[in-house]
């Protein structure tokens, strides 16, 4: 079964709105695409479309939060993470306001919208801001669980979602805990730590490599800040190396966060992401292949890494 995380966002925001009249929806003229329109139709008096004006989206959200409400501001990642960065830093994070930023259409899988719309830097941008929490769920059910959790949490947070449909990994009983990763499969050779859509790719790689006699541990790391340090240390102790996979720049993202945790406990780490370049127009799967993030490319890269850490050679 496949379903987009943005669809899950729209459904869950509507559900939260029915349970709590303090929930407020906001959009920068993209409520159709982000699926916040479900909430807008049910609660027009609690929804604000500010137009194509992301700085105002953040400013108005900050004001609503300061009055005791819980604003969920949504837009495409390329717009909500970069254009109002000063407002996010000074209004939301500096004052630790309870505003939830929901960024849909992140990463390469935006596809034909092109490089300018494929936000590959947002995790890095948000991760460095004090008070900001950063999350990227791996499927629709985890998205729903995450949103229900952060609706009760206090403070700013950034939720990274996708346009593309994701395979369903968790069942509807999934419980999301801030700062906690999930072991999806046990293994002894290496640990693959992935986030978002790349978790499903990691599971596909595991299936292929285990047929070759390799033992792969797969971790879903949807809570990127705070990150599950205990689980990362356990991976470093148990397996011979760690591979991180993300649909994001290699600089400043999940891989960098894992390396920061392991700085005093060195273990071989391979960071797989987009290497210091912008995206380009193309079908989602074609782009993943071009940037080495499709299943065959990931399998080859990880196989070479395992051979290197086990035998000192990539051959």
């Amino acid at each position: 079964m496949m379903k987009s995380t943005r669809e899950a966002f729209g459904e869950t925001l509507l559900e939260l709105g029915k349970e709590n009249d303090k929930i407020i929806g906001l959009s920068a003229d993209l409520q159709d695409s982000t699926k916040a329109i479900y909430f807008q139709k049910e609660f027009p008096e609690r929804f604000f479309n500010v137009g194509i004006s992301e700085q105002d989206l953040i400013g108005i959200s900050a004001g609503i939060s300061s009055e005791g409400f819980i604003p969920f501001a949504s837009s495409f990642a390329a717009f909500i993470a970069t254009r109002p960065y000063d407002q996010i830093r000074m209004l939301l994070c500096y004052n630790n306001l309870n505003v939830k930023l929901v960024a849909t259409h992140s990463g390469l899988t935006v596809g034909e919208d092109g490089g300018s719309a494929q936000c590959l830097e947002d995790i890095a941008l948000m991760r460095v801001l004090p008070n900001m929490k950063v999350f990227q769920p791996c499927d629709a059910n985890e998205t729903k669980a995450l949103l229900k959790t952060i609706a009760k949490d206090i403070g700013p947070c950034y939720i990274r979602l996708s346009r593309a449909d994701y395979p369903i990994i968790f069942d509807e009983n999934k419980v999301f805990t801030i700062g906690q990763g999930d072991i999806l499969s046990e293994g002894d050779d290496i640990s693959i730590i992935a986030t978002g859509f790349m978790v499903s790719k990691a599971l596909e790689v595991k299936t292929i490599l285990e047929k070759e006699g390799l033992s792969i541990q797969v971790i879903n790391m949807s809570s990127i800040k705070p990150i599950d340090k205990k689980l990362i240390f356990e991976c470093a102790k148990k397996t011979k190396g760690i591979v991180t996979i993300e649909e994001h720049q290699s600089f400043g993202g999940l891989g960098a966060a894992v390396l920061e945790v392991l700085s005093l406990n060195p273990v071989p780490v391979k960071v797989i992401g987009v290497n210091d370049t912008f995206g380009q127009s193309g079908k989602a799967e074609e782009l993943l292949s071009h940037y080495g993030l499709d299943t065959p490319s990931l399998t080859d890269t990880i196989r070479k890494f395992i051979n290197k850490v086990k035998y000192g050679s990539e051959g």
Side-chain angles (χ1 to χ4, degrees):
M1 181 179 176
M2 304 279 283
K3 186 173 182 177
S4 71
T5 49
R6 62 176 170 138
E7 183 72 25
F9 160 62
E11 294 172 355
T12 309
L13 185 62
L14 173 60
E15 185 178 338
L16 290 170
K18 293 177 180 176
E19 296 172 354
N20 186 348
D21 61 10
K22 294 289 186 183
I23 301 285
I24 306 293
L26 298 102
S27 176
D29 211 28
L30 286 169
Q31 58 271 27
D32 286 352
S33 297
T34 63
K35 305 303 180 185
I37 193 171
Y38 301 158
F39 183 96
Q40 181 190 31
K41 288 181 176 177
E42 183 74 16
F43 304 108
E45 75 285 2
R46 285 198 272 144
F47 188 87
F48 300 93
N49 176 15
V50 304
I52 306 172
S53 179
E54 288 76 16
Q55 291 87 353
D56 291 326
L57 179 72
I58 303 304
I60 293 169
S61 296
I64 289 172
S65 172
S66 67
E67 293 297 319
F69 293 92
I70 309 170
F72 280 72
S74 59
S75 188
F76 290 6
F79 305 146
I80 199 170
T82 58
R83 291 181 174 177
Y85 195 71
D86 180 59
Q87 284 77 16
I88 293 172
R89 176 176 178 268
M90 291 307 300
L91 297 179
L92 304 192
C93 294
Y94 190 77
N95 296 299
N96 198 25
L97 294 180
N98 190 24
V99 175
K100 319 304 181 186
L101 303 181
V102 181
T104 66
H105 296 68
S106 66
L108 293 168
T109 47
V110 174
E112 292 90 336
D113 285 3
S116 63
Q118 292 162 6
C119 193
L120 303 171
E121 311 85 18
D122 49 332
I123 293 175
L125 288 169
M126 294 299 150
R127 207 166 64 84
V128 299
L129 291 171
N131 293 325
M132 180 67 86
K133 300 182 181 78
V134 182
F135 308 109
Q136 183 172 214
C138 71
D139 73 358
N141 286 334
E142 186 175 41
T143 300
K144 292 185 176 184
L146 190 162
L147 289 164
K148 291 176 181 177
T149 295
I150 60 104
K152 299 176 183 175
D153 188 56
I154 303 299
C157 67
Y158 181 83
I159 303 110
R160 191 178 199 247
L161 304 179
S162 173
R163 174 190 198 175
D165 288 341
Y166 284 11
I168 298 296
I169 294 172
F170 290 109
D171 63 31
E172 294 181 349
N173 297 316
K174 165 68 177 173
V175 174
F176 182 83
T177 302
I178 293 173
Q180 183 174 305
D182 305 287
I183 301 174
L184 300 182
S185 77
E186 299 276 1
D188 298 321
D189 282 323
I190 66 153
S191 299
I192 301 176
I193 301 177
T195 187
F197 183 49
M198 289 295 108
V199 174
S200 60
K201 295 294 183 187
L203 290 170
E204 292 176 2
V205 170
K206 175 193 82 75
T207 299
I208 295 170
L209 292 180
E210 287 190 340
K211 290 178 181 176
E212 300 174 11
L214 297 169
S215 178
I216 310 297
Q217 180 158 274
V218 175
I219 305 296
N220 168 44
M221 194 62 78
S222 48
S223 183
I224 299 173
K225 182 190 176 189
I227 201 164
D228 193 338
K229 295 180 180 178
K230 180 174 180 288
L231 181 54
I232 294 171
F233 284 136
E234 289 174 356
C235 290
K237 291 177 182 177
K238 179 181 179 182
T239 56
K240 301 175 182 66
I242 293 175
V243 177
T244 66
I245 309 175
E246 57 196 310
E247 191 191 354
H248 180 272
Q249 298 286 355
S250 295
F251 297 135
L254 171 67
V258 170
L259 286 168
E260 289 163 11
V261 172
L262 294 173
S263 60
L264 297 177
N265 295 273
V267 64
V269 178
K270 177 72 174 177
V271 175
I272 301 178
V274 177
N275 293 315
D276 200 21
T277 184
F278 288 102
Q280 57 189 298
S281 182
K283 295 185 182 302
E285 281 299 327
E286 292 174 347
L287 292 173
L288 292 176
S289 176
H290 179 79
Y291 290 97
L293 294 171
D294 63 329
T295 301
S297 300
L298 290 169
T299 302
D300 185 56
T301 301
I302 294 171
R303 184 188 293 113
K304 289 177 179 175
F305 177 72
I306 294 172
N307 287 333
K308 190 170 185 178
V309 298
K310 287 183 71 173
Y311 310 114
S313 169
E314 295 185 356

